[in-house]
Structures are given as C-alpha cells and as structure tokens.
Amino acid sequence: MKTLFSMLAPLVLAVVVNGVAAEVAVIVHPSSGVTSLTEDDVARLFLGKAKSFPGGAQAVPINQNEGSPARDKFNETVCKKNASQYKAYWSQLVFTGKGTPPKDGGSEAEVKALIAANPSMIGYIDAGAVDASVKVVYKIP
C-alpha cells in the first residue's frame, strides 16, 4: 500500500499543478492608443463582430496555435466557447461568407513578437511572459 501511494503521489501532484491555469493577458503594441478593454470588447474582436478598437483604430486579432493552454482558456473565458465550438463558429461564418477568423500567430513567443511589431494587432499570452515590448489591456484570471 505504501508503494502504491509513493507511485501515485507524483501523478496526483502533476495533475493538480497542471490543472491550475495561469493568468492570461490580452496584449497590444505599446504605442497603441488603447489603454484597456472590457471582456466584451475583446470577445467582439475575436468573434468577428468588431473590426476596430473602441477608439476606431483597426484591430487585427491574433490567436495562439490550436491546443495551447492560453488559447483554450481565452476561448472558454472570453469567447464562451470550447475549442470545437470556436472552430465550428468560424467554419459557419467562413462558409456563409460572413467572416474571416483570426490568424494563428504561432507560439506564445511568436504572438508576442507579432504584437510588439504591429500597432494594429491584438493577441493574448501568459501574463508571466509580458514585458515592455507589449501593453496589457485586459487580464483573464
């Protein structure tokens, strides 16, 4: 019994640690005139219901690659859709000619680099990866 416990304890610990999702930060270029956004503002951009920031400047939403923990948390919390619902939502809009989904920008580091290089882009990364190259406009706890 003691041996079984010693074998299962690390597994249980790994599940608990990995199950706790980190905070996700929605980011823009530092020179962007956007200082903060609401969850609804962000959802509208990533669901194709808005094409510009509240101030009128063009907004280009960028997703992380499918399957990334930040993307899953972002979709479920902000867009209120799991991965398959999000994909189905965009498939329907594309099929009917009513929208184009956000581009996949790659990994967290690649998304951050894209946002840091383009004032019209908006994306999300783990809050721990935020530095002076980007500006946080919304946080997902």
Side-chain angles (χ1 to χ4, degrees):
M1 184 61 116
K2 200 174 201 182
T3 304
L4 179 62
F5 178 76
S6 63
M7 289 181 353
L8 289 178
L11 178 63
V12 171
L13 182 59
V15 169
V16 170
V17 169
N18 288 329
V20 177
E23 188 174 51
V24 175
V26 177
I27 57 169
V28 296
H29 189 276
S31 72
S32 169
V34 179
T35 55
S36 70
L37 294 172
T38 66
E39 183 176 293
D40 185 59
D41 292 334
V42 176
R44 291 178 55 73
L45 290 169
F46 279 84
L47 293 174
K49 296 177 180 179
K51 303 277 185 221
S52 59
F53 292 114
Q58 178 190 15
V60 179
I62 302 294
N63 274 324
Q64 287 190 20
N65 286 335
E66 283 186 50
S68 77
R71 180 170 174 159
D72 291 343
K73 183 171 184 174
F74 178 85
N75 285 344
E76 290 174 10
T77 306
V78 175
C79 298
K80 311 295 187 228
K81 299 181 184 313
N82 65 32
S84 62
Q85 290 169 328
Y86 187 79
K87 193 171 195 168
Y89 171 85
W90 276 108
S91 293
Q92 182 178 12
L93 287 181
V94 168
F95 180 74
T96 59
K98 295 181 181 176
T100 303
K103 300 253 186 263
D104 287 353
S107 69
E108 182 170 87
E110 291 167 321
V111 168
K112 184 169 80 169
L114 280 170
I115 305 296
N118 191 322
S120 64
M121 290 185 172
I122 180 171
Y124 51 86
I125 60 174
D126 183 278
V130 171
D131 59 25
S133 69
V134 295
K135 175 170 50 173
V136 176
V137 292
Y138 183 74
K139 279 193 180 177
I140 304 163

